[in-house]
Amino acid sequence: MVDYEVYGLQIRSDSDIPGFVACSTHHGHIDVTVTFDLSIGRHRDASTTWHKHPRLVDRRPVDPGVATVRLQESEDYAWVAVTYSDGARFLISADGSAVQVLPADGMDRDSVSTYLVNPVLALCLRFQGLTSLHACAISIDDRSAVFVGPSGAGKSTLAYALDRLGHAVLTDDVTVLRDSPHMISPGYPRIRLWPWTVDGLLGDPEALPRVSSDWAKRSAPINRFLRSSVPLGAVCLLDGFEAQLSVEQVSPAMALMALMENVYLNYLLDDAARRADFLQLCSVVESVPVVRVRRPRDLSGLDNATAALVASLQAHMTRPGTDGTSAKATQEGATSIQSV
Amino acid sequence: MTLRPMNWMRSHVSFEVAPDVLYRTFGNEAVLLHLASERYYSLNDSAARMWELLAGGRSTQETASAVASEFDASEEVVLADLTALLVGLLSARLVVERP
């Protein structure tokens, strides 16, 4: 058995999980057990009838470049089967405490683990009642800055740049919100980068190894990886690129809408989960500053732009918040409802 | 039966938040999420206050009076704004009339 602590979960696996770093043996409660070896009679697929999950449905439009996912529920409601379009299949207990891994034919451990370490563990967290954001998290002055954005927003590139500047990277792609005040727990000490980003940063797309044989992304080690949680200090909405770095604080209302759009796996979630996320994220935007960040796309200026961003965030994290409660005299036509 | 706009103001009509709507007021703005349509709505300062009062069970008349007083505005202007807001809220199915 190998023990890990990832996203604040105490994990026990029957085999190594690529990318994770083993920790000392857990002596207390185990949050998630992971089983790769299903030859010993615990294979739920062999004894279970599955039906389409009534609430968890992939609502994304079909994109040939993105693996779709199908969720089923066991006849006794105790397990959820998660099947990707390439055949990788995971059986997750409904309370998120156990995962059985069933690779597709010919799929190696590295490949199947790309699903396990992010979306499948994020589902376990979800089943345990926790909200995750599509975000990376960095420790700056002992507080975590969480950089939120959809795929392609540049989260991992920014994490890599911050790592290079000496800041501790807590997570690369998934950031879990737990407790209040919110504490951000570390994930695993790897950053995943597209080869063209590696080429732009290091001059050679092959400068870093592939995450797995069937995925183009490269795996960069995190130089300074923390083992402990860091209190949330600020949230940054990565909102595209422009010639000059800009950092501006956004209202809690705008921040809430942006964060709801960036809940990890939000395309799968039912109304009950979205209600829980809404409450959790209200608490976030009420407790820390949320800023919108636009930055240069050019990687040659990445270090300078990132250093300037850090300086701006340090100022935002020490500035007292504004409550914005002043009422303005209403004027004809001033009352508005706006669909966003 | 849906009342015509003028009737909302003549009588002590009140509304409640639709069951599939989440909302939060932050100071002088509010966010509404309609779960069924997955659409968000933002309300500006006076609209947010009207929403807060309506969601709290206040009638249209009570809401208009309170907002007129708090914002130092004429009741005529507030009534027009409230009517416009209710038309928007009802058409987006964000509120339902209390039985």
Side-chain angles (χ1 to χ4, degrees):
Chain A
M1 292 290 174
V2 190
D3 284 358
Y4 303 97
E5 184 167 352
V6 177
Y7 305 132
L9 296 172
Q10 310 290 315
I11 298 172
R12 177 162 290 166
S13 174
D14 63 351
S15 301
D16 288 335
I17 299 176
F20 284 9
V21 174
C23 65
S24 55
T25 303
H26 301 312
H27 293 292
H29 175 73
I30 302 294
D31 297 302
V32 181
T33 59
V34 178
T35 309
F36 286 89
D37 181 2
L38 296 170
S39 61
I40 51 176
R42 289 180 295 167
H43 191 319
R44 298 289 304 190
D45 251 2
S47 59
T48 304
T49 301
W50 301 92
H51 55 259
K52 182 181 174 185
H53 201 289
R55 297 180 307 282
L56 303 178
V57 179
D58 187 350
R59 300 192 304 274
R60 293 173 296 179
V62 174
D63 177 347
V66 177
T68 56
V69 61
R70 182 166 52 97
L71 285 95
Q72 298 165 293
E73 187 177 53
S74 64
E75 58 189 343
D76 62 359
Y77 314 114
W79 289 79
V80 175
V82 180
T83 309
Y84 289 90
S85 46
D86 63 4
R89 185 169 166 84
F90 300 85
L91 311 182
I92 308 175
S93 63
D95 64 0
S97 68
V99 179
Q100 299 187 349
V101 183
L102 294 92
D105 288 343
M107 186 176 272
D108 62 22
R109 176 71 55 85
D110 285 345
S111 296
V112 75
S113 294
T114 60
Y115 293 117
L116 173 65
V117 301
N118 277 6
V120 171
L121 271 186
L123 273 175
C124 290
L125 289 156
R126 169 63 58 185
F127 293 165
Q128 295 188 18
L130 295 167
T131 298
S132 305
L133 288 172
H134 202 182
C136 66
I138 319 296
S139 177
I140 297 174
D141 298 342
D142 298 324
R143 274 177 290 181
S144 56
V146 172
F147 297 87
V148 180
S151 298
K155 297 184 294 297
S156 296
T157 306
L158 191 56
Y160 184 82
L162 286 157
D163 178 68
R164 210 155 60 171
L165 290 174
H167 298 284
V169 176
L170 292 160
T171 67
D172 173 25
D173 199 43
V174 178
T175 297
V176 183
L177 299 168
R178 55 171 75 233
D179 306 328
S180 187
H182 302 286
M183 300 295 291
I184 305 300
S185 300
Y188 51 93
R190 293 276 161 187
I191 298 171
R192 295 166 166 186
L193 297 164
W194 288 111
W196 50 86
T197 306
V198 178
D199 191 23
L201 292 168
L202 302 174
D204 178 4
E206 305 303 325
L208 294 170
R210 284 173 174 263
V211 172
S212 65
S213 59
D214 59 354
W215 199 21
K217 274 202 171 180
R218 270 43 174 185
S219 176
I222 290 174
N223 292 310
R224 198 173 150 227
F225 185 68
L226 295 181
R227 290 282 192 173
S228 54
S229 299
V230 178
L232 180 62
V235 175
C236 309
L237 308 172
L238 297 180
D239 189 33
F241 302 92
E242 59 186 17
Q244 298 294 321
L245 175 74
S246 70
V247 181
E248 58 182 48
Q249 189 150 353
V250 299
S251 71
M254 295 304 294
L256 175 62
M257 289 186 278
L259 291 182
M260 283 293 288
E261 290 300 297
N262 284 285
V263 167
Y264 197 69
L265 303 178
N266 62 1
Y267 54 84
L268 284 179
L269 301 181
D270 61 1
D271 285 356
R274 298 175 75 217
R275 284 178 192 277
D277 292 341
F278 192 87
L279 291 174
Q280 177 76 288
L281 295 173
C282 282
S283 160
V284 168
V285 302
E286 285 169 334
S287 59
V288 297
V290 180
V291 296
R292 175 185 287 120
V293 175
R294 297 191 179 108
R295 60 206 171 88
R297 187 186 290 275
D298 179 18
L299 293 178
S300 66
L302 180 64
D303 285 348
N304 287 340
T306 305
L309 174 58
V310 169
S312 177
L313 289 177
Q314 287 168 323
H316 278 281
M317 286 196 285
T318 55
R319 191 175 297 161
T322 55
D323 64 11
T325 52
S326 61
K328 290 187 289 187
T330 186
Q331 299 173 344
E332 193 165 5
T335 300
S336 79
I337 173 173
Q338 188 176 355
S339 174
V340 181
Chain B
M1 187 180 87
T2 303
L3 292 175
R4 294 168 58 188
M6 286 311 293
N7 289 337
W8 295 341
M9 305 308 156
R10 288 199 191 112
S11 57
H12 286 271
V13 177
S14 62
F15 296 84
E16 61 191 17
V17 180
D20 57 352
V21 170
L22 309 178
Y23 70 95
R24 177 65 68 106
T25 303
F26 301 100
N28 58 353
E29 59 180 346
V31 177
L32 284 58
L33 167 58
H34 189 226
L35 287 168
S37 64
E38 298 190 27
R39 296 191 72 165
Y40 294 91
Y41 299 84
S42 67
L43 301 180
N44 73 355
D45 54 353
S46 51
R49 181 62 181 139
M50 290 173 186
W51 169 268
E52 199 174 28
L53 291 163
L54 291 168
R58 305 283 283 273
S59 71
T60 48
Q61 278 193 344
E62 290 168 334
T63 298
S65 298
V67 171
S69 170
E70 290 174 23
F71 285 73
D72 193 23
S74 79
E75 205 152 314
E76 185 184 9
V77 168
V78 172
L79 282 170
D81 283 353
L82 180 56
T83 301
L85 177 66
L86 280 167
V87 168
L89 294 174
L90 283 163
S91 66
R93 302 178 189 279
L94 299 170
V95 295
V96 293
E97 192 182 330
R98 282 185 194 272

